[in-house]
Amino acid sequence: HTIMGHADGESTMTEYLSHVKEIVEAVSNPLVVDIDTGFGTGSAIDLMRTVRECERLGVAAVHTEDQVTTRRIFAFQLAPRSLCPLCLA
């Protein structure tokens, strides 16, 4: 997301996938992308939709968050975080 000047979780799926498409078309190597919590509400359905869109664009693999919300923790902020249920992982 930093290519757009946004922190994680601040861009829409449409904006993000537009840039992913440009990268896929520009490189011949397999592309791995970080899809955070899958955009939307972070539900399993949002995650599946994002993975399917990445697959449609030709992405080789995705990296997702294990937290319910996108991480915005710095070294000095060690607040407890909620993790996704194992059935969604």
Side-chain angles (χ1 to χ4, degrees), residues 44 47 65-68 82-89:
L47 184 60
E65 293 290 339
D66 61 353
Q67 299 173 40
V68 174
S82 298
L83 299 181
C84 293
L86 186 57
C87 64
L88 297 180

Side-chain angles (χ1 to χ4, degrees), residues 54-66:
C54 287
E55 182 180 31
R56 184 182 63 77
L57 292 175
V59 170
V62 297
H63 173 268
T64 65
E65 293 290 339
D66 61 353

Side-chain angles (χ1 to χ4, degrees), residues 14-84:
T14 302
E15 292 171 323
Y16 186 73
L17 292 177
S18 171
H19 288 283
V20 168
K21 181 180 180 198
E22 291 174 5
I23 296 168
V24 167
E25 291 172 350
V27 300
S28 59
N29 293 333
L31 182 66
V32 178
V33 297
D34 181 354
I35 60 171
D36 298 325
T37 56
F39 299 93
T41 63
S43 70
I45 294 193
D46 291 330
L47 184 60
M48 288 186 307
R49 185 185 71 216
T50 305
V51 169
R52 285 185 182 141
E53 285 298 311
C54 287
E55 182 180 31
R56 184 182 63 77
L57 292 175
V59 170
V62 297
H63 173 268
T64 65
E65 293 290 339
D66 61 353
Q67 299 173 40
V68 174
T69 58
T70 302
R71 183 173 25 138
R72 289 196 181 134
I73 298 273
F74 298 99
F76 57 88
Q77 297 173 317
L78 300 176
R81 295 170 279 190
S82 298
L83 299 181
C84 293

